[in-house]
Amino acid sequence: MKHLLFALVFGFAFASCGGAGTDSGEAGSAADSTATEETVTEEEPKEDKSTRKSPPRTAEGEIGSATVTVSYGSPSVRGRTIFGDLIPYGNIWRTGANEATTITVSEEVMVEGEALPAGTYALFTIPNKETWTVIFNKEAEQWGAYDYDESMDALRVEVAPEALEENAEMLEFEVGSDRVTMRWADVAVPFKVSTVE
């Protein structure tokens, strides 16, 4: 009888230890599974922006002692009427596609005679037939102009658009020696940039 009782107690004790081992093993497996899932999540591939219909482009150049960089999504005309139709006159425009276009100046510059501190800005425009408003907004990381906040504008200047002799199928920016120019469809929009003397 004593032997039977001892065997039962020993059996329960063994089962309890085995159960604890199993529980911690399952917890470990769950933890390992979670860790694996987290690792997979972290390693998910990011969007390949180069496959977009309006691929990302960059224009960069030196104006005086400043480096000027414009990053933008480049849409195509694809047979559409752009200004005054697809891009309505009098409305704020991201000046490109997808994320808002950004412009970075490595040091303080003058834009159309007005001071713009060094930094990165969202570059918005308001197109019109005779004049365009070029806007440098302090909130650089935006999607389009949906969250545009005028109170965050660092600078606004008025410029005159120019007619292009040959249409630009894809939107493009050029950083020249004394200006930045946007070209798309049948319109070029330049604004003068110089370094502070």
Side-chain angles (χ1 to χ4, degrees):
M1 187 73 172
K2 285 183 180 178
H3 293 294
L4 183 58
L5 185 58
F6 179 79
L8 287 172
V9 170
F10 183 78
F12 285 129
F14 182 80
S16 297
C17 290
T22 304
D23 288 344
S24 54
E26 286 172 0
S29 296
D32 292 344
S33 174
T34 303
T36 304
E37 286 171 10
E38 287 173 0
T39 303
V40 170
T41 301
E42 289 174 5
E43 294 177 2
E44 284 180 2
K46 293 184 178 179
E47 176 195 1
D48 181 2
K49 294 181 181 179
S50 66
T51 62
R52 289 176 172 177
K53 286 185 179 179
S54 302
R57 290 189 171 180
T58 301
E60 186 172 284
E62 304 295 321
I63 297 181
S65 55
T67 301
V68 179
T69 307
V70 183
S71 299
Y72 60 101
S74 178
S76 299
V77 173
R78 298 200 304 270
R80 299 173 293 181
T81 301
I82 302 301
F83 300 109
D85 188 8
L86 180 68
I87 309 297
Y89 290 130
N91 289 358
I92 193 87
W93 177 44
R94 73 186 82 188
T95 321
N98 304 313
E99 296 88 351
T101 293
T102 61
I103 184 167
T104 302
V105 291
S106 63
E107 62 183 79
E108 183 178 5
V109 295
M110 304 297 286
V111 179
E112 295 290 324
E114 301 287 336
L116 180 70
T120 299
Y121 303 90
L123 182 65
F124 294 110
T125 52
I126 301 174
N128 282 295
K129 287 184 179 180
E130 304 299 325
T131 62
W132 281 45
T133 304
V134 180
I135 302 164
F136 300 83
N137 188 272
K138 295 174 189 174
E139 191 63 51
E141 294 186 16
Q142 301 187 49
W143 181 269
Y146 301 106
D147 294 321
Y148 166 73
D149 180 356
E150 185 175 344
S151 71
M152 294 295 289
D153 289 352
L155 178 65
R156 282 182 168 222
V157 296
E158 300 292 319
V159 298
E162 301 172 357
L164 286 173
E165 292 181 9
E166 187 174 332
N167 279 12
E169 174 62 25
M170 293 189 77
L171 182 145
E172 64 180 16
F173 278 87
E174 179 186 12
V175 179
S177 60
D178 65 349
R179 70 193 60 215
V180 174
T181 305
M182 183 218 75
R183 297 182 187 89
W184 194 28
D186 55 354
V187 174
V189 181
F191 54 89
K192 294 177 183 177
V193 180
S194 61
T195 49
V196 179
E197 296 179 5

